[in-house]
Amino acid sequence: MSDKIIIFDTTLRDGEQALNASLSVHEKLQIALAIERLGVDVMEVGFPVSSPGDFESVQKIAATIKNSRVCALSRAIEGDIKACGDALSVAEQFRIHTFISTSDVHVKEKLRCDFQDVLDMAVKAVKYARTFTDDVEFSCEDAGRTPIDNLCRMVEMAIKAGATTVNIPDTVGYTLPDEFSGIITQLFNRVPNIDQAVISVHCHNDMGLAVANSLAAVNAGARQIECTVNGIGERAGNAALEEIAMILRTREKQLNLSTNIKHTEISRTSKLVSHLCNMPVQANKAIVGGNAFSHSSGIHQDGVLKSRSTYEIMTPESVGINQNKLNLTSRSGRHVIKHRMAELGYLETDFDLEELYKDFLILADKKGQVFDDDLEAMLFMEQQDHKQDHYKLDYLSVQSGLNVIATASIQLSTGDKTAEKAATGNGPVDALFSAIRQAIDFEFDVVSYRISAKGEGEDSLGQVELIVAWQGRNFHGFGLATDIIEASAKALVHVLNNIYRAQTVALLKQQSQAPTNVNTG
Ligand code: KIV
Ligand code: ZN
């Protein structure tokens, strides 16, 4: 029997903190549900003291998720730990993760104290966290650059204080695989109470070694790996969950290690995270890149046609990629759409068949043929929570062309008021955004605007991803339509609704005097 590796997913904490625009509570919940279905053992879903929005999303996820243990992050500070305890207390069982830096450079330059102070703070923090839960994880931030004697002392004291998991992060992605496994081996050889906690690793990918370092560490005895979907995270990101899971599955016999990950959920989860986080996956990314299972050269194609095993060490089906193509047209009935969605790995509860079918028919009439990508894109749009929308675009007309001044007219509903506005601009999107600006009562800056084709063919859907800055925070919006101006309008209205939700949450929290705005160390 192979040994189980605990998969600790930190997409919604380390991953989310590195995004250009923070996710809404609804979006975080969608990701949490997908990660639960993926089969992760523990999910770290936020840093509750950092903002009222984070507190609210941690609480909501903790109340919803049943099959993975939910965890939240705190510095080794009483207020942070209490915020975790308060946000997580709605769950039957939960984990508090507290951390402090242990490397010389962090202790001296960042914390400006000495190692004994850090030891004392860590012990106090772990003991306090244990008053909320018996599942406490302690991390030695920048462990990869911490003198080994100090690291051994810290790990021993944290376990003595009650930590049940001790995490050894390579915070800056500096170590080499042999070096990192050497650190883990020394801990196992020198820390007398090491058998009383699970040893975890958390590797960053600054030199592209996060996955290799994580594997080296489990070979030396670590039994928890911290990782993120698509490897998103600070700077170059974290170890990629899908790579870890597929390595352990593909080489299980040699490694004698396994996980609880449901591999066929990988592709679907990766797409959802990429879409909601506005983080495209590079085409040649292992496991989830668009080209990860395509064979380009004639020699390879010839080999694969003779036997897939010539060039495929994993099948696309094993990560949930469905290779069969179906010709969907406006003549396809509801049952065909339902069947196709099931083949793509979606549960009936993931979508409203009537809504999806309605959108499908409109698109099929416009495009003739509808592809899997189109279906998934429509599903993602449908999953946006429009019921609560404060801003709604009722009407849009745009004129543009050669030697014509681009002009846009719109009607926008804001709560129970409506405004009709018209504006010109140096192009149709500029005119459209100017008209919408006139209809709202606050200023914003467009940070980035990206348009891409979703699906196959000339008549594929246009997808607009927008980042807007408002009061020092970035907000993300997404729009999809066969008309790229309509897609741009939808993306901006999506952003406006996300800003409105953030304003409402901040107001509610101000009224209840919750702690606000600190950043992870
Ligand atoms: O990279 C790191 O050290 C972290 C800790 C907070 C675990 O993310
Ligand atoms: Zn990290």
Side-chain angles (χ1 to χ4, degrees):
M1 258 272 282
S2 56
D3 252 15
K4 268 273 145 69
I5 297 299
I6 300 167
I7 295 294
F8 177 109
D9 174 90
T10 181
T11 306
L12 287 171
R13 200 280 296 167
D14 213 321
E16 209 264 350
Q17 85 190 32
L19 299 181
N20 277 332
S22 43
L23 298 169
S24 69
V25 174
H26 177 70
E27 289 165 337
K28 285 185 191 170
L29 189 62
Q30 271 179 269
I31 293 180
L33 287 165
I35 287 171
E36 178 185 40
R37 227 160 98 184
L38 182 61
V40 308
D41 303 287
V42 186
M43 60 170 91
E44 182 169 60
V45 298
F47 182 34
V49 85
S50 66
S51 73
D54 230 38
F55 185 95
E56 191 200 351
S57 57
V58 169
Q59 195 168 41
K60 184 103 186 214
I61 293 169
T64 312
I65 298 300
K66 301 286 173 245
N67 300 318
S68 308
R69 174 93 29 129
V70 179
C71 168
L73 184 70
S74 65
R75 293 167 299 179
I77 294 176
E78 224 176 83
D80 284 33
I81 298 167
K82 180 164 173 359
C84 284
D86 291 347
L88 292 167
S89 61
V90 287
E92 262 169 47
Q93 289 178 316
F94 59 87
R95 175 177 297 185
I96 294 180
H97 179 189
T98 185
F99 75 98
I100 196 161
S101 293
T102 52
S103 65
D104 287 347
V105 57
H106 276 217
V107 172
K108 288 195 182 80
E109 309 292 337
K110 186 177 93 168
L111 301 176
R112 306 221 159 131
C113 59
D114 60 35
F115 187 71
Q116 186 57 48
D117 300 324
V118 165
L119 257 183
D120 295 342
M121 282 170 76
V123 166
K124 215 167 129 204
V126 171
K127 285 189 176 159
Y128 184 53
R130 281 296 299 251
T131 65
F132 294 91
T133 172
D134 55 12
D135 187 350
V136 172
E137 172 166 334
F138 173 74
S139 282
C140 314
E141 193 187 7
D142 205 15
R145 293 189 296 171
T146 299
I148 191 70
D149 290 349
N150 284 356
L151 194 62
C152 289
R153 247 174 99 204
M154 180 59 96
V155 171
E156 183 181 351
M157 295 306 282
I159 297 174
K160 204 162 153 212
T164 42
T165 300
V166 177
N167 185 35
I168 309 299
D170 182 17
T171 302
V172 289
Y174 177 72
T175 61
L176 303 172
D178 283 351
E179 205 177 355
F180 198 55
S181 68
I183 294 174
I184 305 296
T185 303
Q186 294 228 46
L187 290 174
F188 275 97
N189 290 340
R190 292 178 50 185
V191 175
N193 54 0
I194 194 113
D195 57 328
Q196 287 164 37
V198 171
I199 297 303
S200 165
V201 287
H202 173 117
C203 298
H204 278 270
N205 205 28
D206 298 68
M207 298 199 289
L209 289 172
V211 169
N213 283 345
S214 306
L215 286 177
V218 293
N219 276 333
R223 282 296 172 268
Q224 174 174 286
I225 298 180
E226 302 199 352
C227 45
T228 58
V229 174
N230 300 339
I232 64 171
E234 280 291 346
R235 307 178 308 279
N238 290 59
L241 182 151
E242 60 281 357
E243 295 178 23
I244 303 275
M246 288 312 286
I247 291 168
L248 296 187
R249 180 175 192 257
T250 310
R251 306 304 304 271
E252 183 175 351
K253 273 202 205 105
Q254 291 73 21
L255 296 168
N256 214 20
L257 299 168
S258 62
T259 71
N260 287 325
I261 294 297
K262 297 186 185 71
H263 306 95
T264 50
E265 289 290 323
I266 284 178
S267 168
R268 208 180 62 80
T269 316
S270 158
K271 283 186 195 160
L272 182 80
V273 169
S274 161
H275 164 74
L276 290 178
C277 295
N278 192 17
M279 289 283 267
V281 173
Q282 77 196 52
N284 60 327
K285 161 91 177 59
I287 318 295
V288 289
N291 291 348
F293 294 95
S294 24
H295 304 278
S296 306
S297 88
I299 295 172
H300 287 212
Q301 286 172 348
D302 176 58
V304 169
L305 285 176
K306 288 175 178 146
S307 164
R308 283 173 74 170
S309 62
T310 51
Y311 287 100
E312 269 184 17
I313 55 163
M314 300 165 274
T315 64
E317 290 79 11
S318 68
V319 298
I321 297 172
N322 193 306
Q323 297 283 71
N324 309 323
K325 297 246 184 257
L326 252 194
N327 190 11
L328 299 171
T329 66
S330 55
R331 286 180 300 282
S332 309
R334 281 176 187 69
H335 66 285
V336 178
I337 304 300
K338 191 171 151 190
H339 181 73
R340 189 63 190 155
M341 291 304 283
E343 281 184 337
L344 293 173
Y346 294 93
L347 304 177
E348 276 184 48
T349 47
D350 287 338
F351 56 94
D352 177 337
L353 183 61
E354 281 312 310
E355 283 298 310
L356 187 64
Y357 191 62
K358 216 166 66 195
D359 292 345
F360 162 76
L361 285 181
I362 296 170
L363 190 63
D365 276 344
K366 283 188 184 164
K367 286 186 55 176
Q369 251 191 340
V370 174
F371 299 96
D372 292 347
D373 279 342
D374 298 326
L375 279 182
E376 287 188 322
M378 285 189 290
L379 174 71
F380 289 151
M381 283 304 284
E382 202 193 282
Q383 283 172 338
Q384 283 176 18
D385 190 7
H386 291 299
K387 279 176 230 104
Q388 311 284 326
D389 281 357
H390 184 65
Y391 296 98
K392 287 195 176 103
L393 190 67
D394 305 322
Y395 170 82
L396 159 68
S397 166
V398 174
Q399 264 197 318
S400 72
L402 188 64
N403 298 329
V404 177
I405 296 177
T407 313
S409 332
I410 56 122
Q411 181 178 308
L412 187 79
S413 304
T414 306
D416 49 14
K417 292 197 201 99
T418 54
E420 284 172 14
K421 300 287 172 191
T424 55
N426 59 20
V429 175
D430 188 40
L432 166 71
F433 282 16
S434 297
I436 293 180
R437 274 178 205 276
Q438 289 179 28
I440 58 171
D441 56 4
F442 60 88
E443 291 291 319
F444 61 83
D445 293 317
V446 173
V447 176
S448 83
Y449 171 96
R450 199 175 64 223
I451 185 156
S452 54
K454 189 86 191 160
E456 296 172 36
E458 272 178 30
D459 54 0
S460 56
L461 288 163
Q463 175 169 303
V464 171
E465 316 239 23
L466 188 65
I467 295 181
V468 156
W470 175 75
Q471 293 200 346
R473 266 182 76 186
N474 284 350
F475 291 83
H476 173 217
F478 165 83
L480 186 78
T482 45
D483 178 328
I484 54 174
I485 305 302
E486 185 187 333
S488 306
K490 283 180 171 168
L492 183 54
V493 172
H494 185 203
V495 168
L496 298 182
N497 281 309
N498 283 341
I499 294 176
Y500 178 75
R501 278 183 206 110
Q503 277 174 316
T504 317
V505 172
L507 209 69
L508 287 174
K509 276 286 169 191
Q510 250 175 27
Q511 284 160 359
S512 68
Q513 306 281 307
T516 45
N517 289 331
V518 281
N519 295 318
T520 317

